[in-house]
């Protein structure tokens, strides 16, 4: 079955980036010249996703405006003959794409945010993208995962090995390698302390899930941090269905973290011929 829908939980307050995020959605912070959310939206559309479902909250108007047409701006760029920029803002959403907004009206956690999209997703497998996880890769991660889903016909999450002392920042897997880049998951736990973690194999924010997950999310069970966790619902789903982990190819930046966000800016800027030389020259003067 084709994966047509992708859920983007974007209701978070972005307190880690205050004061920058006092009046601005954290997803709108730019990496070079694109808001961080746009990278993940482009990844979804390029993987063949037709419908983006944003689960938003208060203070996300700029995000909604960003993915809407701005006829005034388009007119302005056209009379100034700035055709490249015109193309860039018109192509944000392809002709075949639609965007739907729904709200998470209480900050009850990632699992609850996904559950808020249940009626829009309906009874079909769907993707989840966490925009904070920005991944630089030749083939976008969702495009790497969809063929794996087609083969396995079961839920699949992106995974990578993390520092053993940082397991308390991730969903961590107990899993067995079954193929080159594929593990089969036996159990998973959200943010375990390093001495309790079953491994250092962590979930990164790309998921393809079967709709049965909504049954478990609907139980509203609170987990780590007193929040309803997607990891816990997936762990429960394991009783009924297999779930796989996919070791993706690419470099992941944690844009929910200040240092990670700056590293992402640096890495993406270094790919740009109009910026790279100036930046390198400056970096050499540091330290
Ligand atoms: C979320 C998930 C966690 C996952 C992480 C990846 O946590 O709950 O399982 O490992 O994203 O970035 P968050 O970073 O939102 O606390």
């Amino acid at each position: 079955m084709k994966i047509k829908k992708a859920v983007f939980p974007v209701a978070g307050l972005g307190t880690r980036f205050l004061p920058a995020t006092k009046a601005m959605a954290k997803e709108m912070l730019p990496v070079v010249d694109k808001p961080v959310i746009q990278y993940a939206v482009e990844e979804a559309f390029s993987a063949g996703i037709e419908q983006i479902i944003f689960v938003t909250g208060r203070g996300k108007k700029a995000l909604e405006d960003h993915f809407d047409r701005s006829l005034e701006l388009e007119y302005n760029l056209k009379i100034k003959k700035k055709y490249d920029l015109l193309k860039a803002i018109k192509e944000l959403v392809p002709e075949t794409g639609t965007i739907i907004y729904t709200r998470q009206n209480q900050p009850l956690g990632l699992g609850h945010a996904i559950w808020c999209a249940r009626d829009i997703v309906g009874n079909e497998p769907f993707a989840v993208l966490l925009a904070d996880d920005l991944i630089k890769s030749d083939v976008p991660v969702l495009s790497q995962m969809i063929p794996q889903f087609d083969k396995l016909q079961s839920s699949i999450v992106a995974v990578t090995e993390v520092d053993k002392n940082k397991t308390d920042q991730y969903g961590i897997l107990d899993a067995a390698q079954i193929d080159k880049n594929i593990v089969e998951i036996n159990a998973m736990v959200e943010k375990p302390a390093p001495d309790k973690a079953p491994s250092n194999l962590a979930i990164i924010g790309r998921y393809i899930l079967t709709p049965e997950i909504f049954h478990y999310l609907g139980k509203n069970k609170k987990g780590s941090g007193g929040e309803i966790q997607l990891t816990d619902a997936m762990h429960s789903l394991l009783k009924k269905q297999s779930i796989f982990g996919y070791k993706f190819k690419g470099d992941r930046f944690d844009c929910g973290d200040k240092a990670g966000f700056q590293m992402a800016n640096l890495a993406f800027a270094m790919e740009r011929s109009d910026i790279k030389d100036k930046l390198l020259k400056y970096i050499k003067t540091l330290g």
Side-chain angles (χ1 to χ4, degrees):
M1 201 172 179
K2 189 174 180 309
I3 311 296
K4 290 182 290 199
K5 300 181 181 182
V7 179
F8 286 70
V10 288
L13 292 175
T15 34
R16 269 193 258 175
F17 281 88
L18 280 170
T21 48
K22 183 169 176 243
M24 185 177 72
K26 70 168 174 152
E27 296 79 12
M28 293 302 294
L29 292 171
V31 170
V32 188
D33 52 10
K34 267 194 249 177
V36 82
I37 183 75
Q38 193 179 325
Y39 290 88
V41 166
E42 285 176 355
E43 177 180 336
F45 281 133
S46 77
I49 295 293
E50 293 166 13
Q51 189 176 80
I52 301 278
I53 302 160
F54 282 124
V55 182
T56 70
R58 297 184 71 81
K60 301 285 171 171
K61 188 168 179 302
L63 190 145
E64 297 188 19
D65 285 345
H66 185 72
F67 291 101
D68 195 4
R69 295 279 297 269
S70 168
L71 298 180
E72 194 184 324
L73 181 59
E74 285 176 23
Y75 175 75
N76 218 286
L77 293 171
K78 203 167 166 185
I79 54 172
K80 287 186 178 138
K81 298 193 169 39
K82 300 201 166 174
Y83 298 118
D84 284 356
L85 292 175
L86 180 64
K87 192 163 169 272
I89 64 156
K90 275 176 87 172
E91 282 179 358
L92 281 178
V93 179
E95 299 275 324
T96 50
T98 54
I99 298 196
I100 293 187
Y101 296 89
T102 189
R103 277 208 178 200
Q104 181 187 23
N105 54 17
Q106 293 178 79
L108 297 180
L110 175 61
H112 177 255
I114 306 304
W115 187 71
C116 290
R118 66 200 178 281
D119 290 334
I120 307 171
V121 170
N123 194 27
E124 57 185 277
F126 63 102
V128 173
L129 289 93
L130 308 185
D132 274 356
D133 284 326
L134 180 52
I135 302 161
K136 196 157 80 58
S137 56
D138 295 337
V139 179
V141 176
L142 198 58
S143 299
Q144 296 177 35
M145 289 171 71
I146 287 175
Q148 303 294 338
F149 174 82
D150 290 343
K151 247 191 275 168
L152 299 161
Q153 290 294 313
S154 230
S155 298
I156 179 162
V157 296
V159 300
T160 195
E161 282 177 22
V162 295
D163 185 331
K164 286 190 176 65
N165 297 316
K166 294 197 172 145
T167 55
D168 56 358
Q169 296 178 12
Y170 299 94
I172 299 290
L173 309 181
D174 167 4
Q177 187 96 20
I178 59 158
D179 209 339
K180 193 162 161 263
N181 298 314
I182 301 283
V183 297
E184 180 161 8
I185 302 173
N186 302 314
M188 54 184 107
V189 49
E190 181 69 9
K191 303 194 170 75
D195 60 332
K196 302 254 160 53
S199 74
N200 66 334
L201 199 57
I203 300 172
I204 299 304
R206 300 291 183 277
Y207 308 73
I208 298 176
L209 300 170
T210 57
E212 284 76 18
I213 195 72
F214 290 119
H215 169 74
Y216 298 98
L217 290 172
K219 290 186 188 279
N220 286 343
K221 230 179 96 211
K222 293 207 168 113
S224 165
E227 296 187 338
I228 299 167
Q229 297 292 352
L230 180 56
T231 304
D232 294 343
M234 288 169 67
H235 179 78
S236 303
L237 179 59
L238 278 171
K239 279 179 247 145
K240 291 261 155 58
Q241 297 180 355
S242 307
I243 306 181
F244 298 92
Y246 170 68
K247 294 182 178 170
F248 60 92
K249 292 186 195 72
D251 297 325
R252 173 244 179 193
F253 297 91
D254 179 4
C255 286
D257 168 78
K258 282 180 201 172
F261 178 74
Q262 299 306 331
M263 288 179 217
N265 265 286
L266 206 50
F268 279 82
M270 291 298 282
E271 300 257 290
R272 292 269 300 259
S273 55
D274 55 333
I275 303 176
K276 186 179 173 184
D277 291 346
K278 284 184 211 159
L279 202 55
L280 263 181
K281 204 169 149 199
Y282 175 66
I283 291 170
K284 282 184 192 143
T285 69
L286 300 174

